[in-house]
């Protein structure tokens, strides 16, 4: 089956890339350590996107789930465990990769994916909690990330 999407999970200790087929089954996986330097982090994300494209095609949609948040007004990253805080990280990665990238908080991505495909399928509401480098979680209500004016709704932690 053809590869239809790539996903990057960016956390405080690792970057994991996965490619998915039309049934949303993982077909390829690769991991790298998360750099502690900002420029190295942008370069590592560029390389991870390139890996997705090398295995899935240049037009492959790629999304990033990352620890922290993106300030919707300034575009600056807020992340305690990444070398990207107070930097325009998504914009810099898009510049480095020469392509748009979809970004979502990792806790919200987990909650939404579990609601759609996993243990919380069909539950309303659904809550997912991450115990990793940090502790956080996400909330899904009626199949949607819990909304808020600040784009922080639905995330706990």
């Amino acid at each position: 089956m053809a590869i239809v999407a790539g996903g990057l999970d960016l956390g405080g200790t690792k970057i994991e890339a996965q490619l998915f087929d039309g049934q949303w089954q993982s077909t390829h996986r690769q991991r790298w350590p998360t750099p502690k330097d900002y420029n190295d982090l942008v370069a590592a994300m560029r390389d991870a996107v390139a890996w997705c494209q090398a295995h899935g095609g240049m037009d492959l949609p790629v999304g990033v789930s990352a620890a922290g948040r993106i300030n919707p007004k300034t575009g600056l990253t807020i992340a305690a465990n990444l070398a990207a805080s107070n930097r325009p990280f998504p914009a810099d990665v898009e510049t480095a990769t020469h392509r748009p990238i979809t970004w979502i908080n990792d806790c919200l991505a987990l909650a939404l994916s579990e609601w759609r495909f996993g243990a919380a399928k069909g539950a309303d509401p659904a809550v997912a909690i991450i115990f990793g480098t940090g502790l956080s979680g996400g909330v899904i209500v009626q199949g949607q990330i819990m909304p808020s004016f600040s784009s922080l709704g639905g995330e706990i932690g």
Side-chain angles (χ1 to χ4, degrees), residues 136-151:
S136 193
V139 180
I140 304 299
V141 177
Q142 297 180 350
Q144 301 292 317
I145 295 169
M146 196 166 71
S148 77
F149 72 93
S150 66
S151 299

Side-chain angles (χ1 to χ4, degrees), residues 63-64 97 114 118 156:
V64 174
T97 60
E114 287 297 330
I156 55 176

Side-chain angles (χ1 to χ4, degrees), residues 15 35-47:
I15 300 167
K36 302 301 181 199
D37 172 79
Y38 183 71
N39 291 329
D40 292 343
L41 180 59
V42 171
M45 293 298 289
R46 179 200 62 221
D47 294 347

Side-chain angles (χ1 to χ4, degrees), residues 58-149:
M58 294 304 287
D59 294 330
L60 187 72
V62 177
V64 174
S65 72
R69 302 292 294 170
I70 309 302
N71 182 313
K73 292 183 179 179
T74 66
L76 299 179
T77 302
I78 305 162
N81 62 346
L82 297 174
S85 278
N86 298 314
R87 303 282 195 118
F89 185 52
D92 287 347
V93 171
E94 289 184 354
T95 297
T97 60
H98 307 288
R99 58 170 294 148
I101 309 263
T102 300
W103 294 82
I104 186 171
N105 171 268
D106 58 353
C107 299
L108 298 178
L110 170 67
L112 191 58
S113 66
E114 287 297 330
W115 178 83
R116 184 166 302 237
F117 303 112
K121 189 172 184 174
D124 188 28
V127 176
I129 298 174
I130 293 176
F131 295 94
T133 307
L135 169 66
S136 193
V139 180
I140 304 299
V141 177
Q142 297 180 350
Q144 301 292 317
I145 295 169
M146 196 166 71
S148 77
F149 72 93

